[in-house]
Amino acid sequence: MWMKKSHSSSYICAIRTRHPRPLSAPHLPQAGPATSGVEVPDMLSQRFAPPAEIPGLAARRIAADIIDGVIHKRRTLDEQLDGRGAHPALKTLGDRDRALMRRLVATVLRQFGTLSHLLSRLLDKGIPADAPRAQSALLLGAAQILWMEIPDHAAVDLSVRLVQSDRRAGRYAGLVNAVLRRCTREGAALLEEAQDHCLNLPAWLVKRWTTHYGGEATAAMARALSFEPSLDLTVKSDPPHWAQRMHGEVLPTGSVRSLLSGPITLLPGFEEGAWWVQDAAAALPARLFGDLGGKSVADLCAAPGGKTAQLVSAGASVTAIDRSVARMARLRENMARLSLTATTEVADVMEWSCAPESFDAVLIDAPCTSTGTIRRHPDVARLRCESDIAPLAAQQRRLLRRAAALLKSGGTLIYCTCSLEPEEGEQAIADTLEAETALRRLPISPFEVHGLDEIVNSAGELRTLPCHLPHADPRLAGLDGFFVARLVKSWRCRDFAQVDSDRRVESGCPPAVPGITWKDSTKFFP
């Protein structure tokens, strides 16, 4: 938190050293008997040394860079925060400033539409288009004033400093100062008027969700997406114990939900590998296989490994496949921390060399538009376009066909996406069942998801929405938007080659007649 006294003194020091008075010769220490042979500090260099950075300014500068990266360069948060493409100055931030930076970025992106609307009311000519840093400074300043527990004067002052330090935006420092000061006076009232949370979503997405889910559900989802999400954990054992340790609660689904914040690595149980971070909705698919003890399971598109960990913990022999070297490296790190073992393959699933019908079960967490994860990944709302849906939907259908080929007869296939778009969920399964006659749907019952009837559709598929799992405290409510379907692969007639004719007929297969080839014997029993 900001400390007025210490920060005020920092501001004073900065001002005094920005334009120091000339130091006259009489004030310099003179060598004499008292100082002879003693090292005298270089008073001139100390007096003229550049001022130390204002506390919190570095975190805001990096936050502004990352926001610019999302809005103007269409770079995801993940690539700017982790890996080779991460912001180079991130390593200079301490844990506290890093957490502040992440919260600043998330708040601006989560409330982007509302912020843009409010700023348009406070600006006569709109946000300057020729200086991105002026835009990010205004967004950051207003977000701190309206949604974060940061003193108004600090929010205004540091936003102005951000602009002053930028060559193109420097001339807008007075504008930023005036607009944000006006925001401190009028912002709360303007916010009361702008209660439409759909402002924070792109118009094409609001239109689609209204068509598919209705206006009331869309408004509820938009409101749920406006809150900072809680921390969800999947624990190896004893959820009540870890809920108590984390000052949280056990959800009906078995996940532990907590409001603790700060570096994940410092939370109790991390080093021991007692849990892993996983949204409660994302934890549902792997629990729908039933008994996995001793069974072989392919986890397709597996990284970063939350579902892989669930499958291994359930007793399965897991082969995890992902085409990203970096993401697979993270999966291996996670598995090592959790003391779990899985076979890992860096490969494109469509090109992966593996014999057909090699696995008792297959899990596909397919690449998708990720529109169900906006509450945890608010950059999705700024980066995704409606035109992204069709190519991803085509890829998902190819993955489903590939999964069917890898699955043994009688095996179970779980398909899931974190998208709220029907083309990537319900329609993908309908198209696959029509094309792959060996597959049939095995409906999921509300009993299997702890009686949460509202997340099971009429076809026996799961469809979670951000507004599901309500709670008196909105910070403890909600789920990521997920779609899950469970399919089974029917036994083929050739699997009954060695059984008597009566059983073949009972199973819907023709009698074993000499001359009939397996290509002719194409019937399946339901």
Side-chain angles (χ1 to χ4, degrees):
M1 298 295 293
W2 287 74
M3 303 263 317
K4 293 184 179 179
K5 183 176 182 179
S6 62
H7 284 277
S8 296
S9 62
S10 297
Y11 299 154
I12 292 170
C13 290
I15 293 170
R16 286 177 177 171
T17 56
R18 185 179 295 275
H19 301 292
R21 297 177 182 176
L23 192 60
S24 57
H27 291 92
L28 295 176
Q30 305 294 319
T35 61
S36 179
V38 179
E39 184 177 350
V40 179
D42 187 345
M43 301 295 288
L44 278 173
S45 62
Q46 287 185 8
R47 186 72 179 270
F48 286 94
E53 174 122 298
I54 303 299
L57 184 58
R60 287 163 175 81
R61 183 184 301 114
I62 295 171
D65 289 343
I66 292 174
I67 291 168
D68 289 346
V70 172
I71 297 172
H72 300 292
K73 301 175 184 176
R74 302 193 63 78
R75 296 185 63 202
T76 68
L77 286 182
D78 284 347
E79 67 178 292
Q80 295 189 78
L81 294 173
D82 297 299
R84 294 181 179 179
H87 194 292
L90 276 175
K91 57 180 179 291
T92 67
L93 295 181
D95 289 339
R96 189 174 180 180
D97 274 348
R98 185 180 291 256
L100 171 63
M101 179 275 300
R102 284 179 174 269
R103 191 174 173 214
L104 286 166
V105 171
T107 303
V108 167
L109 294 178
R110 190 172 288 119
Q111 307 292 347
F112 184 81
T114 301
L115 281 168
S116 299
H117 173 74
L118 294 180
L119 289 173
S120 70
R121 297 283 303 276
L122 298 171
L123 283 160
D124 294 332
K125 298 181 180 180
I127 296 176
D130 60 341
R133 183 47 52 93
Q135 179 186 18
S136 57
L138 285 167
L139 291 168
L140 282 166
Q144 293 170 80
I145 292 167
L146 297 173
W147 283 284
M148 300 177 68
E149 296 178 359
I150 291 175
D152 290 348
H153 70 84
V156 174
D157 180 80
L158 291 174
S159 296
V160 171
R161 290 176 185 272
L162 275 178
V163 174
Q164 290 173 333
S165 64
D166 185 85
R167 179 174 54 84
R168 287 191 296 172
R171 65 183 183 276
Y172 293 114
L175 173 70
V176 169
N177 181 64
V179 169
L180 292 182
R181 287 186 179 279
R182 185 179 173 190
C183 185
T184 64
R185 300 189 301 270
E186 305 173 27
L190 291 174
L191 190 60
E192 282 295 317
E193 297 175 11
Q195 287 299 311
D196 184 4
H197 296 288
C198 288
L199 288 171
N200 297 316
L201 297 170
W204 67 267
L205 199 56
V206 173
K207 182 179 179 181
R208 287 180 60 84
W209 289 0
T210 302
T211 299
H212 297 302
Y213 302 108
E216 186 176 344
T218 298
M221 287 192 285
R223 182 177 185 277
L225 295 175
S226 69
F227 291 98
E228 183 177 357
S230 55
L231 174 67
D232 285 359
L233 305 175
T234 299
V235 300
K236 285 184 177 178
S237 62
D238 200 356
H241 166 75
W242 286 107
Q244 184 178 21
R245 290 284 304 274
M246 298 291 187
H247 304 283
E249 58 186 46
V250 181
L251 300 181
T253 60
S255 295
V256 171
R257 178 163 286 182
S258 171
L259 290 177
L260 288 181
S261 59
I264 295 296
T265 56
L266 299 182
L267 295 180
F270 177 85
E271 290 294 337
E272 304 95 292
W275 48 261
W276 56 94
V277 176
Q278 187 177 34
D279 186 84
L284 293 174
R287 296 173 179 162
L288 298 172
F289 281 109
D291 183 12
L292 286 175
K295 293 184 178 180
S296 59
V297 182
D299 186 4
L300 310 184
C301 313
K307 297 177 184 64
T308 306
Q310 286 182 281
L311 297 170
V312 174
S313 296
S317 173
V318 180
T319 300
I321 305 99
D322 200 283
R323 68 180 181 180
S324 169
V325 174
R327 285 170 58 82
M328 184 56 79
R330 178 176 296 180
L331 182 148
R332 290 169 179 149
E333 291 173 3
N334 289 335
M335 297 298 285
R337 178 181 67 84
L338 297 170
S339 300
L340 299 174
T341 303
T343 301
T344 58
E345 297 276 357
V346 177
D348 187 322
V349 171
M350 301 304 299
E351 300 173 0
W352 181 44
S353 178
C354 181
E357 302 196 346
S358 295
F359 296 96
D360 298 311
V362 177
L363 173 63
I364 316 173
D365 187 357
C368 65
T369 55
S370 304
T371 54
T373 68
I374 291 174
R375 69 191 194 123
R376 297 192 185 277
H377 301 279
D379 54 324
V380 170
R382 309 271 68 85
L383 297 177
R384 281 300 184 190
C385 303
E386 190 168 14
S387 59
D388 295 332
I389 297 173
L392 284 166
Q395 182 183 10
Q396 291 150 10
R397 285 153 178 78
R398 292 193 295 271
L399 283 169
L400 277 162
R401 291 196 296 270
R402 175 62 168 154
L406 294 172
L407 190 62
K408 293 179 181 178
S409 295
T412 303
L413 188 161
I414 299 288
Y415 169 82
C416 62
T417 66
C418 55
S419 168
L420 288 167
E421 314 318 306
E423 296 94 326
E424 302 180 87
E426 293 88 347
Q427 291 178 23
I429 292 301
D431 292 348
T432 299
L433 290 176
E434 184 176 352
E436 297 288 333
T437 55
L439 296 176
R440 63 183 177 89
R441 184 187 285 108
L442 183 59
I444 302 163
S445 71
F447 174 78
E448 295 178 88
V449 288
H450 310 278
L452 298 176
D453 299 52
E454 69 273 17
I455 72 173
V456 182
N457 67 19
S458 59
E461 302 158 336
L462 295 191
R463 172 56 83 186
T464 64
L465 303 178
C467 55
H468 282 155
L469 212 64
H471 195 283
D473 184 343
R475 298 173 301 168
L476 288 167
L479 292 168
D480 278 358
F482 252 79
F483 172 83
V484 189
R486 182 171 58 193
L487 310 177
V488 293
K489 187 173 184 179
S490 298
W491 293 94
R492 290 184 289 189
C493 296
R494 72 182 185 188
D495 296 313
F496 288 85
Q498 304 301 321
V499 303
D500 60 79
S501 294
D502 289 342
R503 284 192 58 197
R504 288 175 60 81
V505 173
E506 289 173 2
S507 301
C509 294
V513 178
I516 293 183
T517 66
W518 297 124
K519 288 185 178 180
D520 297 325
S521 184
T522 57
K523 291 186 179 179
F524 301 83
F525 73 91

